[in-house]
Amino acid sequence: MGRTREAGCVAAGMVIGAGACYCVYRLTWGKDENEKLWDDEDEQEEEGEQEKSCSGKPEIGGKTEKELKTNAGVGAGAKPQDDSKSKVGVNVGPENGPGVKKEVHPDSQSGGGLEAKAKALFKILKEQASAKAGRGIRLSNISRNRTLTSSLPCPGGRGGGCHPGRTGSRARNRTSGKVKRKNRSKSNKAPATWPVRKGKFNFPYKIDDILSAPDLQKVLNILERTNDPFTQEVALVTLGNNAAYSFNQNAIRELGGVPIIAKLIKTRDPIIREKTYNALNNLSVNSENQGKIKTYISQVCDDTMVCRLDSAVQMAGLRLLTNMTVTNHYQHLLSYSFPDFFALLFLGNHFTKIQTMKLIINFTENPAMTRELVSCKVPSELISLFNKEWDREILLNILTLFENINDNIKSEGLASSRKEFSRSSLFFLFKESGVCVKKIKALASHKDLVVKVKVLKVLTKL
């Protein structure tokens, strides 16, 4: 069994050494001549084994040369060695004294041993690589006593690989140069192309250009004929920017642009509706344009109330309704939406509250709208707006709203007909409950001087 185990260890050492040489060659100099060289080495190795089997086995210290190789191979494979270690310690028998170790160099082994074959294979591979590259021997500074370390994993392997440890700056430079060449070869490839979205229509004007009447007619024709949302948006922004100038407000109306623009109120695209309201908002500054837009004011009001709360569409619709109610001509068209306005005043965010207050203040400045305004049902939480925690703009607007309603109730003589208003009405909340007056008096100690002056003005009119 001892001889069998020794033979097995020798065979395992040969296989590990052959695998080590193969991995070194594959990782260092490529794969083009791998099969041919490895086959040659296998043939030479087999011939060497046959010669060794025929020859005698001289003993060293009571052990044969084969046993010595076995001990060295097992020791090198079982314990990882550093690159700096080039000697293998082998126990020598009693002929050299007990506990004495003999240092055996890899070069001292004869008969085509594993280390000698690995060194010869390294030399052959280096010469072939240098001849192929035309740059001579580039790795001449590698130590002759370098051993294969089985503890270093091969790249991409699962451990226990056979990568030779590289030392020295020239070896590192060679590795980095090889990586750079590989990167350059990859960079020469054409990059992957991704599909780019191209516009269906190239708009002939810039959105900030001030256009003449013929150009405005062209934009209106484009807007009327196209169904592309992108083209519609650009055309609406262009018309809205031009409608900021008074001379173009008349030109767009005379060209029949108001119904062309207002037609897009019915679209389901929120961006298109927002740009439509913005364009109509700039056009509504002109009193003659308001006469054209009034046809669509109820539709705008309904869409503003049902669209998403605090959205850009809602803000654009509120601005348009505010412009349309600056005068008293079209306020009666929106009287049915008073409860919705007060609900939005309570539910909306800061900007929605301010814009809704501006809209309601327009109604409070028309005494003819007072009865319909104070008789509508409002949420009781509306009283929370008279709170010093709000900023100046909200407090000034809510105080102005209360002041105008209080003045209109007096001027219209509605104080004597309080029985016709319900307890959930705006009249009861502002006039009869007394809670609103207490809240306003508490604002007299506000830290903002402008708010203090406004509070004192309101209290003197009670």
Side-chain angles (χ1 to χ4, degrees):
M1 291 299 291
R3 292 293 182 178
T4 305
R5 183 176 298 175
E6 290 177 3
C9 292
V10 171
M14 295 295 293
V15 172
I16 293 173
C21 296
Y22 181 69
C23 291
V24 169
Y25 176 62
R26 290 291 298 269
L27 293 173
T28 310
W29 288 284
K31 304 177 181 180
D32 51 350
E33 299 182 1
N34 181 34
E35 300 295 335
K36 181 178 178 181
L37 290 175
W38 195 249
D39 293 340
D40 295 342
E41 282 299 314
D42 288 341
E43 293 176 359
Q44 295 176 5
E45 192 171 337
E46 292 176 359
E47 294 175 359
E49 289 294 330
Q50 293 175 0
E51 293 176 359
K52 182 189 289 187
S53 62
C54 296
S55 62
K57 300 182 177 66
E59 295 185 357
I60 301 177
K63 292 186 179 182
T64 62
E65 183 182 358
K66 183 176 181 180
E67 294 174 357
L68 183 60
K69 291 179 183 178
T70 302
N71 292 338
V74 173
K79 183 178 290 186
Q81 298 180 0
D82 297 334
D83 291 341
S84 60
K85 296 180 181 180
S86 60
K87 298 180 179 180
V88 181
V90 181
N91 291 332
V92 183
E95 294 180 1
N96 293 334
V100 179
K101 290 186 178 181
K102 181 179 180 181
E103 293 183 351
V104 181
H105 292 269
D107 294 338
S108 64
Q109 296 180 1
S110 61
L114 174 62
E115 295 293 327
K117 290 187 177 185
K119 186 176 65 174
L121 179 60
F122 268 118
K123 185 176 179 180
I124 294 172
L125 296 177
K126 286 187 294 181
E127 290 176 355
Q128 290 180 354
S130 60
K132 186 175 181 180
R135 284 174 287 180
I137 301 175
R138 300 182 60 182
L139 296 179
S140 58
N141 63 331
I142 297 179
S143 175
R144 298 175 63 251
N145 295 328
R146 172 171 295 178
T147 58
L148 302 179
T149 57
S150 60
S151 62
L152 296 177
C154 294
R158 300 184 64 179
C162 47
H163 194 291
R166 291 181 180 272
T167 57
S169 60
R170 293 189 62 185
R172 288 193 295 270
N173 293 338
R174 186 183 183 281
T175 305
S176 61
K178 188 173 183 180
V179 173
K180 289 181 180 179
R181 290 197 302 272
K182 190 176 295 185
N183 293 339
R184 284 199 299 268
S185 62
K186 286 185 178 180
S187 63
N188 293 332
K189 296 181 180 180
T193 57
W194 298 93
V196 180
R197 182 183 180 275
K198 297 182 180 179
K200 296 181 180 180
F201 179 78
N202 294 325
F203 200 73
Y205 307 103
K206 295 182 179 179
I207 59 176
D208 55 350
D209 287 344
I210 301 176
L211 305 180
S212 60
D215 293 330
L216 290 174
Q217 183 66 65
K218 293 179 182 179
V219 176
L220 289 172
N221 292 339
I222 293 172
L223 182 61
E224 187 177 15
R225 296 174 183 176
T226 185
N227 291 322
D228 179 31
F230 176 77
T231 306
Q232 290 175 344
E233 180 182 355
V234 176
L236 287 170
V237 173
T238 303
L239 292 172
N241 290 343
N242 279 268
Y245 302 94
S246 57
F247 56 88
N248 278 336
Q249 292 169 2
N250 294 325
I252 292 174
R253 183 189 70 253
E254 293 171 356
L255 294 172
V258 173
I260 295 176
I261 297 173
K263 179 185 65 174
L264 297 175
I265 296 175
K266 299 178 181 180
T267 185
R268 300 180 61 181
D269 191 340
I271 297 177
I272 301 301
R273 293 208 310 275
E274 178 196 354
K275 305 307 179 186
T276 301
Y277 293 156
N278 290 338
L280 293 176
N281 184 33
N282 289 342
L283 289 172
S284 65
V285 177
N286 188 298
S287 59
E288 296 184 16
N289 288 342
Q290 285 188 357
K292 299 288 186 180
I293 299 173
K294 71 176 182 180
T295 308
Y296 313 98
I297 189 171
S298 298
Q299 187 176 352
V300 173
C301 182
D302 294 341
D303 181 56
T304 303
M305 294 300 107
V306 300
C307 68
R308 186 169 59 87
L309 184 66
D310 302 328
S311 62
V313 180
Q314 191 172 69
M315 288 298 297
L318 288 172
R319 285 193 293 266
L320 175 57
L321 296 176
T322 303
N323 273 356
M324 289 295 296
T325 55
V326 170
T327 62
N328 302 337
H329 303 298
Y330 313 110
Q331 290 181 354
H332 63 281
L333 299 175
L334 300 176
S335 59
Y336 70 95
S337 296
F338 285 161
D340 296 330
F341 293 150
F342 282 105
L344 193 61
L345 179 61
F346 169 69
L347 297 173
N349 61 11
H350 179 270
F351 302 102
T352 304
K353 280 180 169 62
I354 292 175
Q355 193 62 48
T356 307
M357 285 181 185
K358 292 179 180 179
L359 175 60
I360 298 176
I361 287 173
N362 288 344
F363 294 106
T364 62
E365 292 177 350
N366 183 7
M369 301 296 298
T370 303
R371 183 177 293 274
E372 295 183 48
L373 192 61
V374 299
S375 62
C376 71
K377 294 182 179 181
V378 296
S380 59
E381 294 83 1
L382 191 64
I383 200 70
S384 63
L385 293 176
F386 295 92
N387 195 320
K388 63 176 63 177
E389 295 180 358
W390 294 104
D391 61 358
R392 175 196 290 184
E393 191 171 7
I394 288 183
L395 289 176
L396 292 178
N397 279 307
I398 194 64
L399 288 171
T400 301
L401 193 151
F402 177 85
E403 180 185 7
N404 291 344
I405 290 178
N406 187 64
D407 293 344
N408 292 338
I409 288 174
K410 290 180 179 179
S411 62
E412 294 294 321
L414 298 177
S416 58
S417 58
R418 61 175 61 93
K419 293 182 180 180
E420 63 178 285
F421 302 109
S422 65
R423 295 179 63 87
S424 60
S425 63
L426 182 64
F427 178 88
F428 183 84
L429 182 65
F430 276 11
K431 191 69 177 178
E432 293 296 315
S433 65
V435 179
C436 189
V437 177
K438 292 179 181 179
K439 290 281 188 178
I440 294 175
K441 289 180 179 179
L443 291 175
S445 60
H446 198 274
K447 59 182 180 180
D448 193 289
L449 181 60
V450 179
V451 175
K452 284 184 179 180
V453 172
K454 186 67 174 179
V455 169
L456 295 176
K457 181 183 178 182
V458 172
L459 290 177
T460 56
K461 293 184 177 182
L462 295 177

